[in-house]
Amino acid sequence: MIRVVSIQFNPAGKMYDFNAGALDLKPGDRVVVETERGISLGTIVTGPQEKDETGFSHPLAPVQRLLGPEDEKTLAHHQRREKEAYDFCLRRIKERGMDMKLVRVEHLFDGSKAIFYFTADGRVDFRELVKDLAHTFHTRIEMRQIGVRDEAKMVGGLGICGRELCCASFLRDFQPVSVKMAKEQNLALNPSKISGQCGRLLCCLDYEYETYCDLRKNFPKCGKRARTAQYNGTVEKMNLLTGELILRLEDGKQVSVKVKELVDENSSSPPQPETTKEQETVVQQPQRRPREQQPQQQRRPRPAPAAAGTVSAPVDTASTRPVAAEAGEAGTQQPKSDEKQKRKKRNRRHGHRKPSDQKPDRPSQE
């Protein structure tokens, strides 16, 4: 078992584990440790904890000592050199017209290297600048390009909420942030409202994203139909925190209801009243009879040519017998003179010869 402490080298920076050994350390103490870059100065975040040495993939580096008076003088000397190096490098960048922005200069605690942090849109040829810096400060020079979020973390400042930037105070790792998080929280998609000091989306959009997603599961989507016991309309707006919905009714009126009052979020029509058995008999559609039971519509027969001495009459749909026949049975007859005239006309129409019993109009010559 070994005593392990967590140390950070920058405010809100990543934490690294070191072997505390027999030193009496507590959170907030400044200590000198050896890292891959060289001797560095760090701050203890968590106190010593007993842990199994086999749980680490590599042996932990030991903490050398607490920060003493001599170390304080060395630290102040490095801070003065950092300010001089920053001003000198900034002048050289302006003189050469280089498209880069200097952010910070850091000297290692042992003075073996100076790191210059800068931001740029693309690749920058800084070979001549490095020669000027090495010739002036007589130390190793490292130029490191960083992003805009890392720049905000180093510089610090105040956010639109009035508090210190999260990345500069407690946020150790940057999480990916998307516009979808702002949409889920019903925020206005205004770049000036949802962007931070770095020009990127606010890191705080990720804090309540999961909570809003859980609350939204109980709400219908905007534009969907929703109804309560009194109202039926379309969802216009919603407030996930208060649990309220704004419904637009058919007449254009807007009402505010609670999400708990929704009867059926997926139904778009009001509930139908229950029908009694008597009403069901009236509402039910009459059943169609089978085809063989349906009465077939009879075609209207064409009238047959009337015989001599009879009068053609319309055919009755209920019976194929002519009306004149029925009338004859009843004893109604037409006059004989009319019958003769009609018989004459019929014979002439069909080309029949005159009957022999009739006398010729002109006397025959013998």
Side-chain angles (χ1 to χ4, degrees):
M1 301 296 289
I2 56 175
R3 300 172 69 240
V4 180
V5 292
S6 297
I7 297 176
Q8 66 179 9
F9 299 98
N10 296 312
K14 293 183 178 180
M15 297 188 301
Y16 301 91
D17 293 334
F18 287 87
N19 187 356
L23 297 176
D24 185 12
L25 304 175
K26 61 182 182 298
D29 291 343
R30 307 185 73 179
V31 294
V32 178
V33 294
E34 184 176 0
T35 63
E36 296 178 354
R37 301 190 303 174
I39 302 298
S40 301
L41 178 65
T43 305
I44 295 179
V45 180
T46 59
Q49 297 178 359
E50 296 288 339
K51 294 184 179 180
D52 189 4
E53 189 175 1
T54 59
F56 299 95
S57 58
H58 55 84
L60 297 180
V63 177
Q64 293 188 356
R65 62 183 184 276
L66 285 168
L67 190 66
E70 295 295 330
D71 298 326
E72 292 283 355
K73 295 179 181 179
T74 304
L75 182 60
H77 174 68
H78 289 327
Q79 290 177 353
R80 289 194 300 269
R81 294 194 64 185
E82 288 175 359
K83 188 176 184 308
E84 294 175 2
Y86 182 86
D87 296 337
F88 178 82
C89 183
L90 192 60
R91 289 196 304 268
R92 286 288 187 245
I93 291 174
K94 292 181 179 179
E95 290 174 1
R96 297 181 181 275
M98 303 177 67
D99 189 12
M100 57 185 294
K101 179 182 178 182
L102 185 63
V103 177
R104 180 183 174 186
V105 179
E106 178 185 359
H107 271 272
L108 296 183
F109 190 74
D110 56 359
S112 60
K113 183 190 295 185
I115 305 174
F116 291 80
Y117 298 95
F118 70 95
T119 60
D121 294 335
R123 296 177 61 89
V124 180
D125 185 7
F126 45 76
R127 288 176 292 182
E128 298 296 330
L129 179 62
V130 171
K131 291 179 182 180
D132 295 341
L133 296 175
H135 179 73
T136 303
F137 297 101
H138 305 283
T139 185
R140 294 172 58 193
I141 304 297
E142 179 182 349
M143 304 294 294
R144 184 174 299 180
Q145 185 175 358
I146 61 175
V148 290
R149 300 180 77 180
D150 296 312
E151 176 189 1
K153 186 180 183 68
M154 289 184 178
V155 176
L158 299 178
I160 58 176
C161 59
R163 298 174 60 89
E164 187 180 2
L165 296 180
C166 299
C167 56
S169 56
F170 66 89
L171 196 62
R172 301 187 184 277
D173 296 322
F174 292 112
Q175 300 296 332
V177 184
S178 62
V179 182
K180 181 181 178 181
M181 297 180 179
K183 292 181 179 179
E184 289 290 336
Q185 302 177 38
N186 294 331
L187 298 177
L189 301 181
N190 188 351
S192 61
K193 297 292 184 66
I194 60 176
S195 299
Q197 298 294 101
C198 58
R200 304 295 176 85
L201 293 175
L202 292 169
C203 295
C204 55
L205 294 177
D206 185 37
Y207 299 162
E208 300 178 358
Y209 175 65
E210 294 183 1
T211 303
Y212 275 88
C213 290
D214 293 339
L215 293 176
R216 189 176 289 275
K217 294 178 181 178
N218 301 325
F219 282 76
K221 295 182 179 180
C222 290
K224 297 292 184 179
R225 303 283 299 182
R227 64 184 180 86
T228 61
Q230 299 178 353
Y231 304 106
N232 186 356
T234 306
V235 179
E236 188 75 13
K237 297 179 182 178
M238 63 180 67
N239 192 333
L240 300 179
L241 298 180
T242 59
E244 295 181 354
L245 288 172
I246 302 297
L247 295 182
R248 181 183 291 275
L249 306 182
E250 296 180 357
D251 56 357
K253 184 180 178 181
Q254 294 183 357
V255 294
S256 177
V257 298
K258 293 286 187 180
V259 69
K260 298 179 180 179
E261 300 176 3
L262 296 180
V263 177
D264 187 7
E265 298 140 4
N266 297 326
S267 177
S268 60
S269 59
Q272 298 292 339
E274 297 182 358
T275 57
T276 60
K277 293 183 178 179
E278 297 179 357
Q279 293 177 347
E280 288 180 358
T281 57
V282 178
V283 174
Q284 287 180 355
Q285 297 291 338
Q287 298 181 356
R288 296 188 61 183
R289 290 184 297 176
R291 190 165 186 177
E292 61 273 4
Q293 297 181 6
Q294 293 183 3
Q296 297 182 356
Q297 294 183 356
Q298 297 178 357
R299 286 189 175 183
R300 191 172 185 176
R302 298 179 61 183
T310 61
V311 180
S312 61
V315 180
D316 189 4
T317 56
S319 175
T320 58
R321 297 172 59 187
V323 178
E326 295 180 0
E329 293 177 1
T332 60
Q333 294 180 358
Q334 298 293 334
K336 291 182 179 181
S337 59
D338 295 342
E339 292 178 4
K340 289 181 180 181
Q341 292 177 0
K342 290 181 179 179
R343 189 184 305 155
K344 256 182 208 183
K345 293 180 180 179
R346 181 172 179 276
N347 292 337
R348 290 174 183 174
R349 186 184 304 119
H350 295 284
H352 292 281
R353 299 181 64 182
K354 295 181 180 180
S356 59
D357 57 348
Q358 293 185 0
K359 294 181 180 181
D361 294 338
R362 295 177 62 184
S364 60
Q365 295 180 1
E366 293 181 356

